Amino acid sequence: MDKREFLKRTLVLGTGMAVAPQMLSAVQRIDTPSSRGGEFVQPALGYAFDALEPYVDRQTMELHYGKHHAGYTRKFNAALSSEGIGKQDINSIFKKTSSYSSAIRNNGGGFYNHNLYWKFMSPDGGGEAKGKIGKAIKARFGSFGAFKQQFASVAGSQFGSGWGWLIVNKDGELEVTSTPNQDNPLMDVSDVRGIPVLNIDVWEHAYYLNYQNQRSKYIEAYWNLIDWKFVDALYSAAIS
Ligand code: MN3
């Protein structure tokens, strides 16, 4: 895949156009400002705060979604407004992250990364990856177990706060990477760029109440929650 094709596909995903119909509304809510004054709106969670127990506890979800994510959303909109950045899909903003303030970078990333994160988890999730993403993982990493090991290792060793990612890179291949703080692989400031198909929040606020300092136990628990259908929809859109 050449660079122009990659950017075209990134844009397609950014506007949600190439995603399976049943996933379209979810992805649109994630990527585009709503019509309510052009502000980005925090998407509904889609399950109860205690629905992910015992893997992610109710209090963590209440604080994480209700305080942290709500705060990123509010501050992102405030920064867009005060800096006079007009209505556009979020990928267009991320492509120019280097030319914007740290408020846009941190809160825009915080808004978007969590939108995905809530969707990657489901009370009905877990098990092995199926569909196109299942085949691609086996082809790229050798086995589902080998992929899990690499993902856990990269996310686990991200120094300080940040995110672990599975992305489709510029060559159209799956790649495991991590980003510091609220950065993501769509941002032009990211060392490794690509289209996200899975992430995990490894900030302490994501796991400290239940797992204290044991990030690896939280990552291990995450496999019980992953909604592979949503991952497969993002992957299919990224390569189509
Ligand atoms: Mn978080």
Side-chain angles (χ1 to χ4, degrees), residues 64 114 163 201 205:
H64 201 178
H114 289 92
W163 293 78
D201 188 342
H205 67 223

Side-chain angles (χ1 to χ4, degrees), residues 23 44-56 61 114-127 130 198-199 218 221-231:
M23 292 294 172
L45 196 52
Y47 42 79
F49 286 130
D50 63 358
L52 305 180
E53 289 190 347
Y55 306 113
V56 178
M61 288 300 297
H114 289 92
N115 287 356
L116 285 178
Y117 176 64
W118 310 131
K119 295 288 297 173
F120 289 136
M121 295 189 287
S122 163
D124 306 316
K130 297 184 197 77
L198 177 65
N199 73 14
Y218 154 71
Y222 194 61
W223 301 112
N224 296 295
L225 298 172
I226 296 175
D227 181 352
W228 288 108
K229 272 188 240 156
F230 183 61
V231 178

Side-chain angles (χ1 to χ4, degrees), residues 72 75-76 79-80 82-83 85 93-94 96-111 180-183 187 189 203:
Y72 291 125
K75 290 175 194 166
F76 181 39
L80 289 168
S82 72
E83 294 173 37
I85 300 168
I93 296 170
F94 289 153
K96 294 180 284 185
T97 300
S98 58
S99 62
Y100 294 137
S101 69
S102 59
I104 297 290
R105 177 174 176 173
N106 293 332
N107 296 299
F111 167 73
N181 305 313
Q182 296 293 356
D183 287 358
M187 292 179 174
V189 293
W203 283 58

Side-chain angles (χ1 to χ4, degrees), residues 192-205:
V192 179
R193 295 186 66 190
I195 302 171
V197 296
L198 177 65
N199 73 14
I200 182 171
D201 188 342
V202 294
W203 283 58
E204 282 188 346
H205 67 223

